[in-house]
Amino acid sequence: MNLDSNRPQSSGLEGVVAAETRLSDVDGERGRLTIAGHDVEHLGLAATYEDAFALLESGALPDATGRERTRAALGQARAQAFALLPRLGDALELSDGMDALRTALAHVQPGAQGGLSESMRVVGAVSLFAATWARRAAGLSPQPPDPARATASDFLRLVRDREPSAAEVQALEAYWVTVCDHGMNASTFAARVVASTGSDRVSALVAALGALKGPLHGGAPGPVLDMLDAVSSPKNAERWLEAELGAGRRIMGMGHRIYRVRDPRAAVLEKAIERLEQAGASSGRLSLARAVERAAVGVLRARHPDRPLHANVEFYTAVLLDSVGLPRSLFSPAFAVGRVLGWSAHFDEQRATGRLIRPASRYVGPKPS
Ligand code: COA
């Protein structure tokens, strides 16, 4: 496992074997993301959440029957998770959504149950717990899931307490499919390390949630929305961005550890928002976001001519999640609902190797005298 494949500079850990994965491949130079054999540009706009689950679990997109079977099983998994609510203590009353999700998920017993596989059960539990936390945070009482619905439709219905449109459901699915897996990112690595010890799937996903909570990993979309609010009009963009950089702050949603060109996921989400706007349902922030992105690329190029800095996935995530009516506090838990598909598949892939991950360290402390 090459621990630091993401770092351009020397890590001191070269030569350690890279993990093999069939789940996704990130090409930072060319700006390409392949998810289980599919370009993200195509998959993100065409597949459903249930398709992505089946694809990552089995390696192939399901046919219509398979899609229905997955939808029904995930619906049952949400119903099973709802029945657990009385045993979660105050987990879903915690003020931070990621704390709530991590604590609630830790209560789930590993293993298959009631005819549902372990992976179905945990994936269904994550979306149900995230939606229930959002309801509680909004002062609404928990509401049972509708197992006949697709995950995205049920999630939006529960969170917003009203019927979502087909365009909104499609937009949320595009987001979840687009972020379902992304190479050996920090939370996926955390899940694989736990899997490699022979521990259980719930423990691996709790570790992954802990990693995703960190602001360097999953926390930028909220601040991107704050930035769009502060800029408020394209004519203010350049001045605002210059002032931000002048104050020593970074522009949120710009730059990436691996991509040296625009993050391909930004383009997929931008198209998904466009589709939503055409259906007449959106926050109207897309044109402002595009203007701010253009200005940010210019301002950053002037400051860092040798370091290409472009929009990353978080930039348009903010606009998309806002457009489908999710509150900012739910952005990171919503990311987890998408990424849990990848974590769970990585758990299986790592367990199948039967190998313990034991990264090397380089001792730089004092020598014994
Ligand atoms: N705004 C302003 N400057 C930025 C920047 C940003 N968003 N991203 C990178 N830079 C600058 C750094 O200040 C640094 O400049 P310096 O060499 O003069 O100090 C240079 O570009 C290289 O940055 P570095 O921190 O080495 O890059 P990284 O690969 O470690 O960082 C991120 C990647 C994503 C952490 C970084 O681009 C960032 O902080 N982006 C904003 C947060 C964000 O959108 N996160 C979501 C990521 S998906």
PDB file of all heavy atoms in Angstrom, residues 92-128:
ATOM      1  N   LEU A  92     -29.226  10.532  18.224  1.00  0.00           N
ATOM      2  CA  LEU A  92     -29.714  11.407  17.145  1.00  0.00           C
ATOM      3  C   LEU A  92     -30.153  12.776  17.661  1.00  0.00           C
ATOM      4  O   LEU A  92     -30.697  13.582  16.907  1.00  0.00           O
ATOM      5  CB  LEU A  92     -30.830  10.713  16.365  1.00  0.00           C
ATOM      6  CG  LEU A  92     -30.368   9.453  15.616  1.00  0.00           C
ATOM      7  CD1 LEU A  92     -31.511   8.783  14.885  1.00  0.00           C
ATOM      8  CD2 LEU A  92     -29.231   9.779  14.636  1.00  0.00           C
ATOM      9  N   GLU A  93     -29.910  13.019  18.943  1.00  0.00           N
ATOM     10  CA  GLU A  93     -30.177  14.373  19.469  1.00  0.00           C
ATOM     11  C   GLU A  93     -28.885  15.188  19.595  1.00  0.00           C
ATOM     12  O   GLU A  93     -28.926  16.360  19.976  1.00  0.00           O
ATOM     13  CB  GLU A  93     -30.866  14.286  20.831  1.00  0.00           C
ATOM     14  CG  GLU A  93     -32.371  14.065  20.686  1.00  0.00           C
ATOM     15  CD  GLU A  93     -32.925  13.153  21.741  1.00  0.00           C
ATOM     16  OE1 GLU A  93     -32.537  13.303  22.914  1.00  0.00           O
ATOM     17  OE2 GLU A  93     -33.726  12.265  21.380  1.00  0.00           O
ATOM     18  N   LEU A  94     -27.744  14.580  19.288  1.00  0.00           N
ATOM     19  CA  LEU A  94     -26.477  15.324  19.378  1.00  0.00           C
ATOM     20  C   LEU A  94     -26.514  16.489  18.386  1.00  0.00           C
ATOM     21  O   LEU A  94     -27.114  16.379  17.317  1.00  0.00           O
ATOM     22  CB  LEU A  94     -25.294  14.396  19.078  1.00  0.00           C
ATOM     23  CG  LEU A  94     -25.121  13.236  20.081  1.00  0.00           C
ATOM     24  CD1 LEU A  94     -24.026  12.285  19.626  1.00  0.00           C
ATOM     25  CD2 LEU A  94     -24.808  13.775  21.473  1.00  0.00           C
ATOM     26  N   SER A  95     -25.854  17.586  18.759  1.00  0.00           N
ATOM     27  CA  SER A  95     -26.034  18.778  17.925  1.00  0.00           C
ATOM     28  C   SER A  95     -25.290  18.682  16.596  1.00  0.00           C
ATOM     29  O   SER A  95     -25.727  19.241  15.590  1.00  0.00           O
ATOM     30  CB  SER A  95     -25.617  20.034  18.690  1.00  0.00           C
ATOM     31  OG  SER A  95     -24.265  19.910  19.041  1.00  0.00           O
ATOM     32  N   ASP A  96     -24.172  17.956  16.547  1.00  0.00           N
ATOM     33  CA  ASP A  96     -23.431  17.817  15.294  1.00  0.00           C
ATOM     34  C   ASP A  96     -23.910  16.557  14.552  1.00  0.00           C
ATOM     35  O   ASP A  96     -23.957  15.469  15.136  1.00  0.00           O
ATOM     36  CB  ASP A  96     -21.928  17.714  15.589  1.00  0.00           C
ATOM     37  CG  ASP A  96     -21.111  17.592  14.313  1.00  0.00           C
ATOM     38  OD1 ASP A  96     -20.966  16.462  13.794  1.00  0.00           O
ATOM     39  OD2 ASP A  96     -20.645  18.627  13.821  1.00  0.00           O
ATOM     40  N   GLY A  97     -24.250  16.716  13.285  1.00  0.00           N
ATOM     41  CA  GLY A  97     -24.801  15.612  12.507  1.00  0.00           C
ATOM     42  C   GLY A  97     -23.839  14.435  12.355  1.00  0.00           C
ATOM     43  O   GLY A  97     -24.262  13.277  12.315  1.00  0.00           O
ATOM     44  N   MET A  98     -22.542  14.713  12.245  1.00  0.00           N
ATOM     45  CA  MET A  98     -21.574  13.621  12.093  1.00  0.00           C
ATOM     46  C   MET A  98     -21.389  12.877  13.420  1.00  0.00           C
ATOM     47  O   MET A  98     -21.233  11.655  13.441  1.00  0.00           O
ATOM     48  CB  MET A  98     -20.231  14.158  11.590  1.00  0.00           C
ATOM     49  CG  MET A  98     -20.286  14.649  10.162  1.00  0.00           C
ATOM     50  SD  MET A  98     -20.819  13.378   8.983  1.00  0.00           S
ATOM     51  CE  MET A  98     -19.297  12.480   8.756  1.00  0.00           C
ATOM     52  N   ASP A  99     -21.414  13.610  14.535  1.00  0.00           N
ATOM     53  CA  ASP A  99     -21.361  12.935  15.843  1.00  0.00           C
ATOM     54  C   ASP A  99     -22.568  12.016  15.982  1.00  0.00           C
ATOM     55  O   ASP A  99     -22.465  10.877  16.455  1.00  0.00           O
ATOM     56  CB  ASP A  99     -21.398  13.960  16.989  1.00  0.00           C
ATOM     57  CG  ASP A  99     -20.103  14.765  17.096  1.00  0.00           C
ATOM     58  OD1 ASP A  99     -19.109  14.365  16.460  1.00  0.00           O
ATOM     59  OD2 ASP A  99     -20.106  15.792  17.801  1.00  0.00           O
ATOM     60  N   ALA A 100     -23.727  12.542  15.571  1.00  0.00           N
ATOM     61  CA  ALA A 100     -24.970  11.775  15.699  1.00  0.00           C
ATOM     62  C   ALA A 100     -24.911  10.500  14.858  1.00  0.00           C
ATOM     63  O   ALA A 100     -25.240   9.404  15.332  1.00  0.00           O
ATOM     64  CB  ALA A 100     -26.150  12.644  15.260  1.00  0.00           C
ATOM     65  N   LEU A 101     -24.435  10.649  13.625  1.00  0.00           N
ATOM     66  CA  LEU A 101     -24.386   9.511  12.704  1.00  0.00           C
ATOM     67  C   LEU A 101     -23.415   8.440  13.217  1.00  0.00           C
ATOM     68  O   LEU A 101     -23.714   7.238  13.214  1.00  0.00           O
ATOM     69  CB  LEU A 101     -23.935  10.027  11.335  1.00  0.00           C
ATOM     70  CG  LEU A 101     -24.286   9.224  10.104  1.00  0.00           C
ATOM     71  CD1 LEU A 101     -25.755   8.847  10.094  1.00  0.00           C
ATOM     72  CD2 LEU A 101     -23.961  10.050   8.854  1.00  0.00           C
ATOM     73  N   ARG A 102     -22.256   8.889  13.661  1.00  0.00           N
ATOM     74  CA  ARG A 102     -21.238   7.955  14.163  1.00  0.00           C
ATOM     75  C   ARG A 102     -21.765   7.207  15.389  1.00  0.00           C
ATOM     76  O   ARG A 102     -21.610   5.992  15.502  1.00  0.00           O
ATOM     77  CB  ARG A 102     -19.964   8.753  14.496  1.00  0.00           C
ATOM     78  CG  ARG A 102     -18.958   8.012  15.326  1.00  0.00           C
ATOM     79  CD  ARG A 102     -17.649   8.768  15.493  1.00  0.00           C
ATOM     80  NE  ARG A 102     -17.717  10.167  15.882  1.00  0.00           N
ATOM     81  CZ  ARG A 102     -18.115  10.629  17.064  1.00  0.00           C
ATOM     82  NH1 ARG A 102     -18.552   9.800  17.998  1.00  0.00           N
ATOM     83  NH2 ARG A 102     -18.100  11.928  17.319  1.00  0.00           N
ATOM     84  N   THR A 103     -22.400   7.938  16.295  1.00  0.00           N
ATOM     85  CA  THR A 103     -22.880   7.316  17.529  1.00  0.00           C
ATOM     86  C   THR A 103     -24.041   6.367  17.241  1.00  0.00           C
ATOM     87  O   THR A 103     -24.108   5.262  17.786  1.00  0.00           O
ATOM     88  CB  THR A 103     -23.328   8.415  18.524  1.00  0.00           C
ATOM     89  OG1 THR A 103     -22.302   9.403  18.584  1.00  0.00           O
ATOM     90  CG2 THR A 103     -23.558   7.860  19.905  1.00  0.00           C
ATOM     91  N   ALA A 104     -24.941   6.796  16.360  1.00  0.00           N
ATOM     92  CA  ALA A 104     -26.093   5.937  16.035  1.00  0.00           C
ATOM     93  C   ALA A 104     -25.627   4.662  15.337  1.00  0.00           C
ATOM     94  O   ALA A 104     -26.062   3.555  15.683  1.00  0.00           O
ATOM     95  CB  ALA A 104     -27.074   6.702  15.146  1.00  0.00           C
ATOM     96  N   LEU A 105     -24.712   4.812  14.368  1.00  0.00           N
ATOM     97  CA  LEU A 105     -24.275   3.632  13.606  1.00  0.00           C
ATOM     98  C   LEU A 105     -23.572   2.624  14.516  1.00  0.00           C
ATOM     99  O   LEU A 105     -23.671   1.409  14.310  1.00  0.00           O
ATOM    100  CB  LEU A 105     -23.346   4.053  12.460  1.00  0.00           C
ATOM    101  CG  LEU A 105     -23.063   2.942  11.446  1.00  0.00           C
ATOM    102  CD1 LEU A 105     -24.335   2.566  10.677  1.00  0.00           C
ATOM    103  CD2 LEU A 105     -21.971   3.342  10.467  1.00  0.00           C
ATOM    104  N   ALA A 106     -22.884   3.134  15.534  1.00  0.00           N
ATOM    105  CA  ALA A 106     -22.164   2.239  16.449  1.00  0.00           C
ATOM    106  C   ALA A 106     -23.118   1.296  17.185  1.00  0.00           C
ATOM    107  O   ALA A 106     -22.693   0.260  17.707  1.00  0.00           O
ATOM    108  CB  ALA A 106     -21.352   3.069  17.446  1.00  0.00           C
ATOM    109  N   HIS A 107     -24.422   1.626  17.224  1.00  0.00           N
ATOM    110  CA  HIS A 107     -25.395   0.762  17.903  1.00  0.00           C
ATOM    111  C   HIS A 107     -25.860  -0.411  17.030  1.00  0.00           C
ATOM    112  O   HIS A 107     -26.538  -1.299  17.514  1.00  0.00           O
ATOM    113  CB  HIS A 107     -26.644   1.567  18.290  1.00  0.00           C
ATOM    114  CG  HIS A 107     -26.447   2.428  19.507  1.00  0.00           C
ATOM    115  ND1 HIS A 107     -25.730   3.589  19.483  1.00  0.00           N
ATOM    116  CD2 HIS A 107     -26.889   2.283  20.781  1.00  0.00           C
ATOM    117  CE1 HIS A 107     -25.731   4.138  20.681  1.00  0.00           C
ATOM    118  NE2 HIS A 107     -26.421   3.363  21.488  1.00  0.00           N
ATOM    119  N   VAL A 108     -25.528  -0.364  15.740  1.00  0.00           N
ATOM    120  CA  VAL A 108     -26.015  -1.420  14.831  1.00  0.00           C
ATOM    121  C   VAL A 108     -25.185  -2.687  15.036  1.00  0.00           C
ATOM    122  O   VAL A 108     -23.956  -2.635  15.077  1.00  0.00           O
ATOM    123  CB  VAL A 108     -25.910  -0.939  13.352  1.00  0.00           C
ATOM    124  CG1 VAL A 108     -26.248  -2.059  12.387  1.00  0.00           C
ATOM    125  CG2 VAL A 108     -26.822   0.264  13.132  1.00  0.00           C
ATOM    126  N   GLN A 109     -25.858  -3.814  15.203  1.00  0.00           N
ATOM    127  CA  GLN A 109     -25.160  -5.087  15.350  1.00  0.00           C
ATOM    128  C   GLN A 109     -24.705  -5.574  13.979  1.00  0.00           C
ATOM    129  O   GLN A 109     -25.510  -5.595  13.035  1.00  0.00           O
ATOM    130  CB  GLN A 109     -26.110  -6.142  15.942  1.00  0.00           C
ATOM    131  CG  GLN A 109     -26.367  -5.975  17.426  1.00  0.00           C
ATOM    132  CD  GLN A 109     -25.089  -6.152  18.239  1.00  0.00           C
ATOM    133  OE1 GLN A 109     -24.386  -7.144  18.093  1.00  0.00           O
ATOM    134  NE2 GLN A 109     -24.769  -5.160  19.057  1.00  0.00           N
ATOM    135  N   PRO A 110     -23.440  -5.977  13.846  1.00  0.00           N
ATOM    136  CA  PRO A 110     -23.008  -6.516  12.550  1.00  0.00           C
ATOM    137  C   PRO A 110     -23.750  -7.816  12.222  1.00  0.00           C
ATOM    138  O   PRO A 110     -24.355  -8.416  13.104  1.00  0.00           O
ATOM    139  CB  PRO A 110     -21.518  -6.798  12.750  1.00  0.00           C
ATOM    140  CG  PRO A 110     -21.136  -6.163  14.040  1.00  0.00           C
ATOM    141  CD  PRO A 110     -22.373  -5.964  14.848  1.00  0.00           C
ATOM    142  N   GLY A 111     -23.690  -8.210  10.974  1.00  0.00           N
ATOM    143  CA  GLY A 111     -24.271  -9.486  10.548  1.00  0.00           C
ATOM    144  C   GLY A 111     -25.518  -9.296   9.709  1.00  0.00           C
ATOM    145  O   GLY A 111     -26.117  -8.223   9.693  1.00  0.00           O
ATOM    146  N   ALA A 112     -25.887 -10.370   8.992  1.00  0.00           N
ATOM    147  CA  ALA A 112     -27.136 -10.353   8.218  1.00  0.00           C
ATOM    148  C   ALA A 112     -28.288 -10.496   9.199  1.00  0.00           C
ATOM    149  O   ALA A 112     -28.120 -11.046  10.290  1.00  0.00           O
ATOM    150  CB  ALA A 112     -27.128 -11.493   7.215  1.00  0.00           C
ATOM    151  N   GLN A 113     -29.440  -9.969   8.805  1.00  0.00           N
ATOM    152  CA  GLN A 113     -30.604 -10.051   9.713  1.00  0.00           C
ATOM    153  C   GLN A 113     -31.873  -9.897   8.885  1.00  0.00           C
ATOM    154  O   GLN A 113     -31.914  -9.053   7.981  1.00  0.00           O
ATOM    155  CB  GLN A 113     -30.513  -8.913  10.722  1.00  0.00           C
ATOM    156  CG  GLN A 113     -31.002  -9.272  12.118  1.00  0.00           C
ATOM    157  CD  GLN A 113     -30.830  -8.069  13.050  1.00  0.00           C
ATOM    158  OE1 GLN A 113     -31.637  -7.158  13.050  1.00  0.00           O
ATOM    159  NE2 GLN A 113     -29.746  -8.069  13.823  1.00  0.00           N
ATOM    160  N   GLY A 114     -32.891 -10.682   9.225  1.00  0.00           N
ATOM    161  CA  GLY A 114     -34.196 -10.535   8.568  1.00  0.00           C
ATOM    162  C   GLY A 114     -34.102 -10.651   7.056  1.00  0.00           C
ATOM    163  O   GLY A 114     -34.798  -9.938   6.345  1.00  0.00           O
ATOM    164  N   GLY A 115     -33.228 -11.505   6.552  1.00  0.00           N
ATOM    165  CA  GLY A 115     -33.092 -11.699   5.109  1.00  0.00           C
ATOM    166  C   GLY A 115     -32.277 -10.611   4.416  1.00  0.00           C
ATOM    167  O   GLY A 115     -32.185 -10.597   3.194  1.00  0.00           O
ATOM    168  N   LEU A 116     -31.702  -9.686   5.184  1.00  0.00           N
ATOM    169  CA  LEU A 116     -30.903  -8.601   4.576  1.00  0.00           C
ATOM    170  C   LEU A 116     -29.426  -8.814   4.865  1.00  0.00           C
ATOM    171  O   LEU A 116     -29.048  -9.147   5.998  1.00  0.00           O
ATOM    172  CB  LEU A 116     -31.321  -7.254   5.169  1.00  0.00           C
ATOM    173  CG  LEU A 116     -32.743  -6.783   4.868  1.00  0.00           C
ATOM    174  CD1 LEU A 116     -33.046  -5.516   5.660  1.00  0.00           C
ATOM    175  CD2 LEU A 116     -32.913  -6.528   3.367  1.00  0.00           C
ATOM    176  N   SER A 117     -28.602  -8.581   3.849  1.00  0.00           N
ATOM    177  CA  SER A 117     -27.155  -8.715   4.048  1.00  0.00           C
ATOM    178  C   SER A 117     -26.672  -7.615   4.995  1.00  0.00           C
ATOM    179  O   SER A 117     -27.334  -6.579   5.166  1.00  0.00           O
ATOM    180  CB  SER A 117     -26.429  -8.593   2.706  1.00  0.00           C
ATOM    181  OG  SER A 117     -26.543  -7.261   2.230  1.00  0.00           O
ATOM    182  N   GLU A 118     -25.493  -7.842   5.558  1.00  0.00           N
ATOM    183  CA  GLU A 118     -24.910  -6.839   6.456  1.00  0.00           C
ATOM    184  C   GLU A 118     -24.700  -5.512   5.722  1.00  0.00           C
ATOM    185  O   GLU A 118     -24.974  -4.433   6.272  1.00  0.00           O
ATOM    186  CB  GLU A 118     -23.576  -7.377   6.974  1.00  0.00           C
ATOM    187  CG  GLU A 118     -22.895  -6.495   7.986  1.00  0.00           C
ATOM    188  CD  GLU A 118     -21.555  -7.082   8.382  1.00  0.00           C
ATOM    189  OE1 GLU A 118     -20.564  -6.907   7.636  1.00  0.00           O
ATOM    190  OE2 GLU A 118     -21.502  -7.725   9.449  1.00  0.00           O
ATOM    191  N   SER A 119     -24.237  -5.576   4.469  1.00  0.00           N
ATOM    192  CA  SER A 119     -23.960  -4.322   3.752  1.00  0.00           C
ATOM    193  C   SER A 119     -25.257  -3.551   3.491  1.00  0.00           C
ATOM    194  O   SER A 119     -25.301  -2.330   3.651  1.00  0.00           O
ATOM    195  CB  SER A 119     -23.197  -4.584   2.453  1.00  0.00           C
ATOM    196  OG  SER A 119     -23.923  -5.448   1.618  1.00  0.00           O
ATOM    197  N   MET A 120     -26.332  -4.250   3.113  1.00  0.00           N
ATOM    198  CA  MET A 120     -27.637  -3.588   2.947  1.00  0.00           C
ATOM    199  C   MET A 120     -28.040  -2.898   4.247  1.00  0.00           C
ATOM    200  O   MET A 120     -28.505  -1.755   4.249  1.00  0.00           O
ATOM    201  CB  MET A 120     -28.732  -4.620   2.644  1.00  0.00           C
ATOM    202  CG  MET A 120     -28.726  -5.168   1.264  1.00  0.00           C
ATOM    203  SD  MET A 120     -29.407  -3.932   0.158  1.00  0.00           S
ATOM    204  CE  MET A 120     -29.290  -4.813  -1.394  1.00  0.00           C
ATOM    205  N   ARG A 121     -27.894  -3.654   5.342  1.00  0.00           N
ATOM    206  CA  ARG A 121     -28.371  -3.138   6.640  1.00  0.00           C
ATOM    207  C   ARG A 121     -27.631  -1.848   7.031  1.00  0.00           C
ATOM    208  O   ARG A 121     -28.250  -0.882   7.461  1.00  0.00           O
ATOM    209  CB  ARG A 121     -28.197  -4.202   7.723  1.00  0.00           C
ATOM    210  CG  ARG A 121     -29.144  -5.390   7.552  1.00  0.00           C
ATOM    211  CD  ARG A 121     -28.984  -6.392   8.675  1.00  0.00           C
ATOM    212  NE  ARG A 121     -29.118  -5.744   9.971  1.00  0.00           N
ATOM    213  CZ  ARG A 121     -28.177  -5.705  10.898  1.00  0.00           C
ATOM    214  NH1 ARG A 121     -27.016  -6.304  10.706  1.00  0.00           N
ATOM    215  NH2 ARG A 121     -28.392  -5.082  12.026  1.00  0.00           N
ATOM    216  N   VAL A 122     -26.309  -1.839   6.873  1.00  0.00           N
ATOM    217  CA  VAL A 122     -25.589  -0.641   7.318  1.00  0.00           C
ATOM    218  C   VAL A 122     -25.814   0.537   6.359  1.00  0.00           C
ATOM    219  O   VAL A 122     -25.952   1.679   6.805  1.00  0.00           O
ATOM    220  CB  VAL A 122     -24.074  -0.885   7.541  1.00  0.00           C
ATOM    221  CG1 VAL A 122     -23.838  -1.818   8.707  1.00  0.00           C
ATOM    222  CG2 VAL A 122     -23.397  -1.399   6.311  1.00  0.00           C
ATOM    223  N   VAL A 123     -25.875   0.246   5.068  1.00  0.00           N
ATOM    224  CA  VAL A 123     -26.099   1.339   4.104  1.00  0.00           C
ATOM    225  C   VAL A 123     -27.483   1.951   4.336  1.00  0.00           C
ATOM    226  O   VAL A 123     -27.649   3.182   4.374  1.00  0.00           O
ATOM    227  CB  VAL A 123     -25.924   0.819   2.653  1.00  0.00           C
ATOM    228  CG1 VAL A 123     -26.476   1.816   1.642  1.00  0.00           C
ATOM    229  CG2 VAL A 123     -24.439   0.554   2.376  1.00  0.00           C
ATOM    230  N   GLY A 124     -28.495   1.105   4.529  1.00  0.00           N
ATOM    231  CA  GLY A 124     -29.846   1.610   4.809  1.00  0.00           C
ATOM    232  C   GLY A 124     -29.883   2.402   6.114  1.00  0.00           C
ATOM    233  O   GLY A 124     -30.555   3.438   6.212  1.00  0.00           O
ATOM    234  N   ALA A 125     -29.131   1.932   7.103  1.00  0.00           N
ATOM    235  CA  ALA A 125     -29.129   2.606   8.410  1.00  0.00           C
ATOM    236  C   ALA A 125     -28.527   4.008   8.290  1.00  0.00           C
ATOM    237  O   ALA A 125     -29.032   4.966   8.902  1.00  0.00           O
ATOM    238  CB  ALA A 125     -28.355   1.776   9.433  1.00  0.00           C
ATOM    239  N   VAL A 126     -27.473   4.170   7.509  1.00  0.00           N
ATOM    240  CA  VAL A 126     -26.824   5.491   7.413  1.00  0.00           C
ATOM    241  C   VAL A 126     -27.799   6.528   6.849  1.00  0.00           C
ATOM    242  O   VAL A 126     -27.932   7.636   7.397  1.00  0.00           O
ATOM    243  CB  VAL A 126     -25.518   5.407   6.575  1.00  0.00           C
ATOM    244  CG1 VAL A 126     -24.998   6.795   6.231  1.00  0.00           C
ATOM    245  CG2 VAL A 126     -24.455   4.637   7.350  1.00  0.00           C
ATOM    246  N   SER A 127     -28.537   6.189   5.782  1.00  0.00           N
ATOM    247  CA  SER A 127     -29.453   7.203   5.220  1.00  0.00           C
ATOM    248  C   SER A 127     -30.615   7.474   6.179  1.00  0.00           C
ATOM    249  O   SER A 127     -31.035   8.622   6.338  1.00  0.00           O
ATOM    250  CB  SER A 127     -29.948   6.805   3.824  1.00  0.00           C
ATOM    251  OG  SER A 127     -30.858   5.747   3.894  1.00  0.00           O
ATOM    252  N   LEU A 128     -31.108   6.431   6.834  1.00  0.00           N
ATOM    253  CA  LEU A 128     -32.243   6.643   7.747  1.00  0.00           C
ATOM    254  C   LEU A 128     -31.825   7.466   8.975  1.00  0.00           C
ATOM    255  O   LEU A 128     -32.524   8.396   9.375  1.00  0.00           O
ATOM    256  CB  LEU A 128     -32.816   5.273   8.157  1.00  0.00           C
ATOM    257  CG  LEU A 128     -34.122   5.213   8.961  1.00  0.00           C
ATOM    258  CD1 LEU A 128     -33.965   5.384  10.451  1.00  0.00           C
ATOM    259  CD2 LEU A 128     -35.188   6.182   8.432  1.00  0.00           C
TER     260      LEU A 128
END
